[in-house]
Amino acid sequence: MSRLRYITAICAILLCALCSTAQLKYTEGSFRLTNAADMQASGTNIGKKNMTASLTDFAPSHDDDQIKSGIIRVGFKNLASEDLENHVLASVNPGHVNRSEYRRNPTTNALECWLHLDPGTDLVLNINVEGIGAVRIPNLKVESERMYALEIESAEMIPVTFSSNVDGTAVWFDGAPLDGQTAKDKFVSKDKTTMGRHHVKAVAGNRSKEFDIEVSKANNHFPIDLLRKYTVQFESNEPGVTLYEGGKVLGTLPMSTEITEGPHSFVVRKPGYDDKAYNVNITGNSRHRFDIHKNKTIDFYALSNNTDYRGASVYIDNELRGQTPLQLTLPYGRYNVRMSAYGRDKSDKLVVDDNTASRFMLKLPARHRRFNPFDIDFHRREFGLTAGYVQKWMHISDGKSSISTNYFGEEKHMHGFQIGVPVQPIFGYGLGLNTGLYFEAYFADWTDTENYGDKFNMTEYCMYMPVDLMFRLPLGENFSIYVNGGIGIDWSIETELTAEGYDDYKIDYGEDGAPNHFNFSAEFGGGIQYKALQVSGNYQIGLNNNSKMVNDEVTAKLRKFSVQLSLMF
């Protein structure tokens, strides 16, 4: 034996000696030759064959490299497999353990450690199980290509406990009943138990179950499942719905599967749909349908006296769901919505689908409708689009008499059109603002009869913005009248003169003989609105003098009249 092998063997022996405790002991008389059972028929004329020889390796010997090892099958009693595998350390003196392997005994299914070691006489075998203890076995004789067996037993005892998901479960351990029965948060226990395999029987009423357990230091509590399992069919109103329980996918509906009896919490999911949870108590073979729908979140509001009303009760299909303002998530479908406040009710149908708006509003009937027009549930429309006809002229006055002229000095009005965006917000009790922004175009012509009879045409482009106080009187839910008054601002952008045979000419605003770029006017008007249609009129009286157009003794002030047709939103 080489020096290195000798030192290794000595270290192993010392280690086993240091780790030895009374927890492991050799079962006296268990060492025996097992080759008689290993001799098997080969199925040929050769006869019997030593199967052990095919399992052994050549022993590293100084004398003859062709000598094969012997095998010792070490069995363990009162030790669990998980405490053994990869945790057994063995050495032999004199000699060497060439290798070790773990195999299951085909008869008992117990785990064994097979040691391949040099053949010899008066051998001392040292076995250490990590965390358990060690044992020393002297006076062993091992021959080449022979198989032996021995047994090692642990003296350590540990407590084991049992729980059950059915209250009142009685437990038998290795055929002996244990004291007590299981209940919620109550275990049945056995104080001193050997490690390794044991047989357990559990009984609760007409339920029973038998099974084997393997006790180890890391595994000494055993939950017992006595709940029955039933075959349950799951379906849905939609194909391709996935069924979950506890975050685990059970399958795609429709499906049939085994489910343990008792309460369960399922969740169904499908892309594009909101998750839906179902609580089900399984009591037998049954069928369950889990419907899933698309949902949409909708804000519910009530309108009263032209303002949002807080606190109106909201009923969905006659079920009270809360008070306005209210946000609800509803599955796709048809609903009857009713809102109520102090005896004032309003109902309407609601269809929830891909095209449904996220805001649903009902107008509550007004109180004292006959006495206060501002209690009328008027539908506000505060901006829109306008097209209209306009006239504009200059009012020329010397303080004693006056005339109306166009830019050519003729006693004619300039005619045109107007388009724009009216803005008419209401602040409360009919008071509001009339403003907006409008584009205007004016047209006029003049024939020079004193000279050559040439005809001149004028086109003027302007912008106009009113800034008026408005009073609107509701006369019905979709009908109102209003009056307005304030300041009108006119901005003349460009005026172009054209005539055949002459170059085009543009007026320079503010120069001699030309009007102002900006004119301010006092204005007043009114209108009628029915649903989205509004008809209005407006009259302007200029405030500032277009002094460049006249001499110092005369004033020239803008006058305008317009009629508009508006589509209000």
Side-chain angles (χ1 to χ4, degrees):
M1 181 182 294
S2 68
R3 182 181 298 273
L4 178 60
R5 293 175 60 196
Y6 178 77
I7 294 175
T8 302
I10 294 299
C11 291
I13 293 171
L14 291 176
L15 178 62
C16 291
L18 289 173
C19 297
S20 294
T21 68
Q23 290 178 327
L24 288 183
K25 66 178 182 178
Y26 165 64
T27 302
E28 293 293 338
S30 64
F31 183 76
R32 66 191 187 281
L33 179 68
T34 63
N35 268 71
D38 184 49
M39 300 295 290
Q40 301 180 16
S42 65
T44 67
N45 295 327
I46 300 177
K48 304 292 185 178
K49 180 181 179 181
N50 185 355
M51 298 300 293
T52 303
S54 63
L55 298 174
T56 54
D57 305 320
F58 287 104
S61 170
H62 288 297
D63 300 328
D64 189 347
D65 290 338
Q66 299 302 311
I67 297 178
K68 284 192 171 184
S69 301
I71 299 176
I72 297 181
R73 295 166 48 184
V74 183
F76 297 88
K77 187 176 180 181
N78 191 23
L79 282 173
S81 298
E82 61 183 274
D83 293 331
L84 293 173
E85 192 163 6
N86 300 320
H87 295 289
V88 178
L89 178 65
S91 64
V92 63
N93 184 41
H96 180 67
V97 176
N98 301 319
R99 67 184 177 95
S100 59
E101 58 179 321
Y102 298 89
R103 292 174 177 260
R104 290 280 177 182
N105 187 304
T107 303
T108 64
N109 198 37
L111 190 69
E112 297 178 341
C113 181
W114 289 24
L115 303 177
H116 298 250
L117 66 161
D118 293 342
T121 58
D122 293 328
L123 302 179
V124 178
L125 179 64
N126 299 284
I127 297 177
N128 177 50
V129 180
E130 295 180 39
I132 304 296
V135 64
R136 182 170 180 269
I137 309 167
N139 304 320
L140 300 181
K141 179 181 178 180
V142 176
E143 297 184 31
S144 175
E145 301 183 23
R146 293 291 184 271
M147 182 178 291
Y148 305 84
L150 62 81
E151 186 177 81
I152 294 174
E153 182 177 358
S154 171
E156 185 176 7
M157 309 282 277
I158 62 173
V160 292
T161 56
F162 300 90
S163 62
S164 175
N165 50 15
V166 176
D167 291 345
T169 299
V171 180
W172 277 258
F173 188 84
D174 288 339
L178 301 182
D179 293 337
Q181 294 181 342
T182 64
K184 184 178 181 181
D185 300 328
K186 182 181 178 181
F187 299 155
V188 171
S189 62
K190 186 176 188 302
D191 292 336
K192 294 182 178 181
T193 304
T194 59
M195 290 179 284
R197 297 180 69 83
H198 298 274
H199 186 72
V200 175
K201 178 181 178 181
V203 177
N206 59 354
R207 307 164 189 248
S208 65
K209 185 175 184 179
E210 294 191 47
F211 55 95
D212 290 332
I213 61 173
E214 185 151 339
V215 178
S216 68
K217 286 186 175 181
N219 188 32
N220 63 343
H221 175 74
F222 301 91
I224 302 173
D225 182 8
L226 282 180
L227 293 178
R228 295 186 177 95
K229 293 185 181 295
Y230 296 104
T231 300
V232 181
Q233 177 71 26
F234 294 105
E235 300 172 348
S236 179
N237 63 320
E238 293 280 347
V241 174
T242 304
L243 180 65
Y244 292 80
E245 184 177 21
K248 179 183 177 181
V249 176
L250 298 184
T252 301
L253 305 185
M255 61 173 287
S256 179
T257 186
E258 275 197 343
I259 299 292
T260 304
E261 67 175 321
H264 292 262
S265 295
F266 299 107
V267 175
V268 286
R269 294 175 182 167
K270 183 178 179 179
Y273 293 71
D274 288 344
D275 295 353
K276 186 68 181 291
Y278 288 91
N279 294 320
V280 178
N281 187 32
I282 303 298
T283 58
N285 299 327
S286 57
R287 183 187 302 268
H288 294 275
R289 179 184 170 96
F290 296 154
D291 287 351
I292 188 170
H293 301 276
K294 285 186 176 181
N295 292 343
K296 179 167 285 189
T297 300
I298 300 177
D299 296 315
F300 292 86
Y301 295 88
L303 186 68
S304 178
N305 300 337
N306 298 319
T307 58
D308 285 338
Y309 186 90
R310 301 181 66 87
S313 298
V314 180
Y315 296 84
I316 308 292
D317 291 338
N318 294 321
E319 178 186 353
L320 178 62
R321 302 295 294 273
Q323 294 183 329
T324 59
L326 177 67
Q327 186 178 83
L328 294 175
T329 299
L330 298 176
Y332 279 24
R334 299 178 65 87
Y335 300 91
N336 181 55
V337 181
R338 179 169 63 91
M339 297 186 188
S340 176
Y342 298 101
R344 296 179 294 150
D345 289 15
K346 189 67 178 287
S347 299
D348 201 357
K349 299 292 184 182
L350 171 63
V351 178
V352 181
D353 56 24
D354 290 337
N355 300 318
T356 302
S358 61
R359 179 184 174 99
F360 182 84
M361 183 178 67
L362 289 180
K363 302 171 188 176
L364 299 176
R367 293 169 293 182
H368 313 301
R369 182 188 298 271
R370 295 180 180 178
F371 305 101
N372 184 353
F374 300 110
D375 273 342
I376 294 175
D377 197 12
F378 176 65
H379 184 178
R380 296 183 183 183
R381 300 175 185 269
E382 299 183 336
F383 68 95
L385 298 174
T386 288
Y389 165 77
V390 290
Q391 288 184 356
K392 181 167 74 171
W393 64 93
M394 285 295 172
H395 183 76
I396 311 297
S397 174
D398 61 0
K400 297 178 181 179
S401 61
S402 63
I403 60 172
S404 298
T405 72
N406 58 23
Y407 288 172
F408 292 114
E410 292 185 306
E411 294 184 36
K412 292 181 180 180
H413 293 177
M414 295 177 286
H415 304 273
F417 68 87
Q418 179 189 80
I419 58 174
V421 178
V423 180
Q424 298 177 328
I426 301 174
F427 304 131
Y429 296 100
L431 294 177
L433 182 67
N434 175 52
T435 185
L437 189 62
Y438 302 85
F439 172 79
E440 297 176 339
Y442 294 94
F443 308 95
D445 58 71
W446 170 61
T447 302
D448 186 3
T449 57
E450 295 182 0
N451 295 310
Y452 302 102
D454 295 326
K455 185 175 181 179
F456 293 87
N457 297 298
M458 183 211 77
T459 303
E460 183 180 31
Y461 304 106
C462 304
M463 297 299 294
Y464 161 64
M465 184 177 74
V467 183
D468 300 339
L469 181 66
M470 181 183 69
F471 177 77
R472 185 182 292 274
L473 183 66
L475 301 177
E477 182 178 352
N478 290 295
F479 182 61
S480 66
I481 60 175
Y482 73 91
V483 293
N484 61 278
I487 299 296
I489 304 171
D490 288 271
W491 172 31
S492 296
I493 301 174
E494 181 180 274
T495 299
E496 186 177 56
L497 298 175
T498 62
E500 188 175 352
Y502 294 87
D503 293 335
D504 294 347
Y505 176 75
K506 294 182 180 180
I507 291 179
D508 294 325
Y509 291 99
E511 299 293 333
D512 288 341
N516 297 336
H517 231 321
F518 290 93
N519 280 285
F520 297 90
S521 305
E523 64 180 18
F524 58 90
I528 300 173
Q529 184 184 110
Y530 176 68
K531 293 188 176 179
L533 192 64
Q534 178 172 282
V535 179
S536 58
N538 203 53
Y539 187 79
Q540 294 176 235
I541 300 175
L543 297 176
N544 57 312
N545 184 24
N546 287 261
S547 59
K548 298 292 185 179
M549 296 184 67
V550 293
N551 57 41
D552 293 339
E553 289 79 21
V554 180
T555 60
K557 296 185 178 180
L558 179 71
R559 295 288 177 91
K560 279 179 61 178
F561 172 74
S562 61
V563 178
Q564 296 98 5
L565 180 64
S566 303
L567 186 64
M568 303 299 292
F569 305 103

